[in-house]
Structure formats: C-alpha cells, structure tokens
Amino acid sequence: MGRIVVFTSEDLNSKQLLRALDSRKLPYNEISLTDRPSRISDLQALVDCPAVPQMFINTRAVGGLNMSLKELKRWDQSARFDSPLHKYESEVAPADDPAEQEPRLAPNLAGYKVVDTPPAPIQPHSVVKLVTGKVVPLREATELMKEAIPKVDIHKFKGVNHRNCFSG
C-alpha cells in the first residue's frame, strides 16, 4: 500500500500542511524532526533543501509547504475523482509500499529515491572565469567582489553598532 510521508517540526508551516491533509481526511505518516532529530540526515539524503515541512507521495518528493498545498489543490480540482480521499485511494494507496522496495535509507524511508546529490565541495585551487574572460583563482575573485560591494557604517541598527558592513 502506498503512502504520504510528511517531515515536520514545531513550526506554523508544518502545522498548516498537517491541517490541510487532515481537512481532506488523507492518511499520512508524520516524521517529526523535533521529536526525532536523528531523521534530519534521512531528509537531507532525499532532498537538497532540508527545510520543513517536506511532503512525499510514495517515492515522489512533492516539496515544501507551497508545493504541497498546490498539489492538494490540484487534487481538490480533479474532475476524475469525487474527493482528494478518492484520488488517494485510487492512485496512491494501490502503489507498492516504498518500504517493500530495495532498502536504501532508514527503515521507515526505505525505497525513497534521492532527488539530487549535493554539489562537489569547492577546492582551494578552483578557478573562476570573470566576465572579462580572465581566469583567476577563486580567492582572488572573492576579493574582487568584496572590493566592488559598497560598505557603510550602520550606527545603532537594532541596538548594535556595525562598521564596514555590506550595504547591498
């Protein structure tokens, strides 16, 4: 049986998504990163941005709050089905349970595929091609950018003195 999995925390966005699922009477599995912080690594393995909430339908990553609400709205407007629950029962539930597929991560998330791998770390000897066509070391390009950004002194911003701050 397929399922909806939602990674949450104790924030308003997570609560809003859970309310949206509850109002549609859709069954879901909640993984609270507040209660189980060890599951953060599972979420990071599945998506580039480990912000919560994150919703998955079977092995498909839907996304954060906005993308999940858009998906649920599409389910509401579906002409083929009477309700989102009917769509869930017809399309999501009959799918194979992701836990029955090849285990890749923690037991509760086995079978979910990794959406993207993180980019390779920048090496100290990396070079950058400037707009002028000149190729310079990354450190030199960073220094050039720091010089180009105007700096100002901000006095008493939120009660703290700041000097030589980037203004842009």
Side-chain angles (χ1 to χ4, degrees):
M1 177 179 214
R3 62 183 169 184
I4 297 174
V5 176
V6 183
F7 284 88
T8 64
S9 68
E10 294 297 321
D11 66 335
L12 295 175
N13 290 341
S14 296
K15 291 175 184 176
Q16 183 179 355
L17 180 56
L18 295 179
R19 277 195 308 271
L21 290 165
D22 289 337
S23 70
R24 292 167 173 84
K25 298 179 176 48
L26 294 171
Y28 60 89
N29 293 343
E30 177 185 3
I31 299 174
S32 173
L33 299 180
T34 304
D35 298 338
R36 300 170 70 191
S38 62
R39 300 306 295 264
I40 292 173
S41 59
D42 292 337
L43 179 59
Q44 289 174 332
L46 294 169
V47 292
D48 283 340
C49 178
V52 289
Q54 288 288 330
M55 185 169 86
F56 297 83
I57 298 176
N58 290 330
T59 58
R60 182 172 65 92
V62 176
L65 176 65
N66 292 335
M67 296 302 293
S68 299
L69 292 177
K70 284 180 185 177
E71 179 75 11
L72 293 175
K73 189 172 184 178
R74 280 194 292 271
W75 283 28
D76 290 336
Q77 297 170 346
S78 175
R80 272 183 61 202
F81 301 101
D82 299 335
S83 68
L85 181 59
H86 183 234
K87 180 176 175 75
Y88 173 85
E89 291 169 344
S90 300
E91 293 185 352
V92 177
D96 291 335
D97 187 355
E100 295 172 3
Q101 298 175 11
E102 174 185 324
R104 295 172 49 132
L105 298 170
N108 289 352
L109 295 177
Y112 282 90
K113 62 183 176 186
V114 175
V115 175
D116 250 336
T117 56
I122 296 175
Q123 301 299 318
H125 58 276
S126 296
V127 293
V128 177
K129 185 175 182 181
L130 300 177
V131 182
T132 60
K134 182 179 176 184
V135 178
V136 297
L138 183 59
R139 181 176 298 270
E140 186 179 328
T142 304
E143 293 300 321
L144 289 170
M145 289 190 310
K146 283 169 58 177
E147 291 172 12
I149 297 174
K151 297 175 188 163
V152 296
D153 288 342
I154 302 173
H155 298 285
K156 292 291 183 191
F157 177 72
K158 294 191 177 180
V160 178
N161 283 329
H162 299 276
R163 296 188 185 276
N164 293 326
C165 299
F166 294 122
S167 64

